[in-house]
Amino acid sequence: MLISIVTPCYDEEAVLERFHEAVQKVSDELLPLGHDMEFVYVDDGSRDRTLSVLERLAARDQRVRYVSFSRNFGKEAALLAGLRHAGGDCVVVMDADLQHPPELIARMVRLREQGYDQVIARRTRIGDRLTRTLAARLYYRLVNRLVDVELMDGVGDFRLLSRRVVDAVLGLTEYNRFSKGLFAWVGFPSTTFAYENAVREAGRSSWNLRGLLEYGLDGVLSFNNRPLRAALWLGVSLLLCAGLYTAWIVIAALLHGVRTPGYVTIITAVTALAGVQMVMLGVIGEYTGRIYYEVKGRPHFLVKATNVERTKDLIP
Ligand code: UDP
Ligand code: MG
């Protein structure tokens, strides 16, 4: 079996060499069992010397393939490029920062041999800050209500995919990619095991709170139109409330005569309704924006440098 290790790298010069050594070690252990490996690195327009590290690795180890983007296109695009350039019978997707322990690859391969098409590593939240754990738990509960596919807390991109899963994912050509959801959407026999997340070896996580929030929103919006449906229901229930309230005011006026009308009630109603409308407009706008991006049909990434021969892959 040929196993492709796909790794997106953004400003990872500090850990790349160490990462490669670690996966090489795993590769040496798997070789006697009849498993060969190739390494597909995608440099996502790094600002540091990640590309020259990759060139060096490729010169030393002929199993290294690299693709370097013309600029930073984001991890999702990098992942897509990696999958496109992977030629293995199965693909292991993992981060470069050694937060995904390479030792687990052997375990994934064993599970693949048992027939699973997706072997998913789920990180435990041991050692995370409590607020983050709670936020994640809340988010997943909410999201799973909203989307059709089941998303699990702690499940990320660290997983093994069989060839048919990779081909299926590559067949999903949408511009707004939310890999977690795409993998779940594809399905096929899957299994999950838990591991303890390591702290980042070096470099810095490229996530900030805003990025996380937007990523979370993407997760909800890129999967179905349920938020639009929710907006519809909200509108209907507000209308109902307004009708009931009006009826109540009219009846009260008939029974007790007109009293001085409330300034506060009016202001509250007006601002609240304006807020609700803005939210709904925002939801519609989000979807329209997505359609706009899909319609433009731009490539997901542009390649600046690579050592992969297959030029057909360079045009996404
Ligand atoms: N990454 C990337 N492009 C980006 C941001 C990140 O390819 O724009 C890569 C990064 O090099 C790493 C992986 O995605 O291999 C995960 O990134 P990070 O460690 O910053 O995220 P976290 O582990 O905090 O979720
Ligand atoms: Mg990380």
Side-chain angles (χ1 to χ4, degrees), residues 29-49:
E29 285 160 14
L30 285 175
L31 200 58
L33 302 173
H35 302 304
D36 217 344
M37 247 189 215
E38 65 164 7
F39 310 99
V40 183
Y41 292 103
V42 182
D43 165 33
D44 186 9
S46 300
R47 294 159 299 184
D48 63 2
R49 290 193 314 275

Side-chain angles (χ1 to χ4, degrees), residues 139-147 149-152 226:
Y139 172 70
Y140 281 99
R141 185 161 298 176
L142 194 80
V143 159
N144 278 322
R145 248 194 221 167
L146 286 172
V147 302
V149 293
E150 162 100 24
L151 299 180
M152 226 190 293
R226 244 177 257 186

Side-chain angles (χ1 to χ4, degrees), residues 7 61 91 95 97 105 124 153 169 196 204 215 283 301:
T7 312
D61 185 345
V91 171
D95 289 356
D97 54 12
I105 295 174
T124 59
D153 185 9
V169 170
E196 212 167 301
R204 241 159 26 99
Y215 183 70
V283 171
F301 53 83

Side-chain angles (χ1 to χ4, degrees), residues 5-298:
I5 309 285
V6 166
T7 312
C9 319
Y10 180 53
D11 291 351
E12 301 285 9
E13 63 170 355
V15 276
L16 256 182
E17 296 255 3
R18 242 181 306 158
F19 173 83
H20 190 67
E21 266 166 39
V23 279
Q24 253 180 338
K25 217 176 99 208
V26 176
S27 165
D28 293 341
E29 285 160 14
L30 285 175
L31 200 58
L33 302 173
H35 302 304
D36 217 344
M37 247 189 215
E38 65 164 7
F39 310 99
V40 183
Y41 292 103
V42 182
D43 165 33
D44 186 9
S46 300
R47 294 159 299 184
D48 63 2
R49 290 193 314 275
T50 299
L51 179 57
S52 39
V53 175
L54 287 179
E55 283 165 348
R56 209 160 56 225
L57 289 179
R60 262 205 323 251
D61 185 345
Q62 53 166 3
R63 297 169 301 174
V64 171
R65 297 154 162 237
Y66 65 84
V67 181
S68 178
F69 287 176
S70 59
R71 64 167 173 85
N72 181 245
F73 280 92
K75 186 184 172 185
E76 297 291 342
L79 216 64
L80 176 70
L83 291 181
R84 278 199 189 149
H85 289 83
D89 304 305
C90 65
V91 171
V92 176
V93 178
M94 58 196 300
D95 289 356
D97 54 12
L98 290 168
Q99 279 185 306
H100 297 161
E103 310 83 69
L104 295 179
I105 295 174
R107 184 161 167 197
M108 290 176 150
V109 170
R110 275 202 301 280
L111 285 163
R112 167 73 194 121
E113 283 170 336
Q114 289 174 23
Y116 292 107
D117 282 277
Q118 290 199 46
V119 183
I120 305 158
R122 187 172 59 83
R123 56 170 288 203
T124 59
R125 291 208 172 265
I126 299 169
D128 265 19
R129 255 177 306 151
L130 188 69
T131 43
R132 185 130 183 212
T133 313
L134 288 179
R137 202 167 293 165
L138 195 76
Y139 172 70
Y140 281 99
R141 185 161 298 176
L142 194 80
V143 159
N144 278 322
R145 248 194 221 167
L146 286 172
V147 302
D148 307 317
V149 293
E150 162 100 24
L151 299 180
M152 226 190 293
D153 185 9
V155 163
D157 299 324
F158 186 26
R159 58 178 80 208
L160 179 147
L161 310 168
S162 70
R163 180 39 58 185
R164 60 176 177 170
V165 170
V166 172
D167 289 342
V169 170
L170 289 178
L172 307 175
T173 53
E174 59 214 74
Y175 190 81
N176 295 287
R177 300 186 77 76
F178 184 68
S179 294
K180 257 190 214 197
L182 294 181
F183 293 145
W185 185 90
V186 165
F188 288 114
S190 308
T191 181
T192 307
F193 67 87
Y195 73 98
E196 212 167 301
N197 206 40
V199 287
R200 213 175 203 292
E201 284 278 317
R204 241 159 26 99
S205 169
S206 36
W207 287 106
N208 51 22
L209 185 65
R210 181 157 169 220
L212 275 177
L213 277 178
E214 295 202 340
Y215 183 70
L217 205 61
D218 264 357
V220 178
L221 289 172
S222 61
F223 259 82
N224 59 19
N225 61 359
R226 244 177 257 186
L228 283 174
R229 187 67 54 85
L232 193 72
W233 284 119
L234 188 61
V236 169
S237 26
L238 270 174
L239 214 64
L240 243 139
C241 290
L244 287 176
Y245 186 55
T246 313
W248 185 59
I249 291 176
V250 169
I251 292 170
L254 287 177
L255 292 181
H256 311 291
V258 179
R259 277 180 289 161
T260 331
Y263 169 77
V264 176
T265 323
I266 292 173
I267 292 296
T268 315
V270 168
T271 47
L273 284 179
V276 169
Q277 292 198 8
M278 282 311 231
V279 170
M280 289 184 187
L281 261 182
V283 171
I284 297 172
E286 273 291 330
Y287 283 99
T288 319
R290 269 150 219 276
I291 296 170
Y292 174 62
Y293 275 107
E294 297 295 340
V295 166
K296 280 202 282 194
R298 289 198 177 155

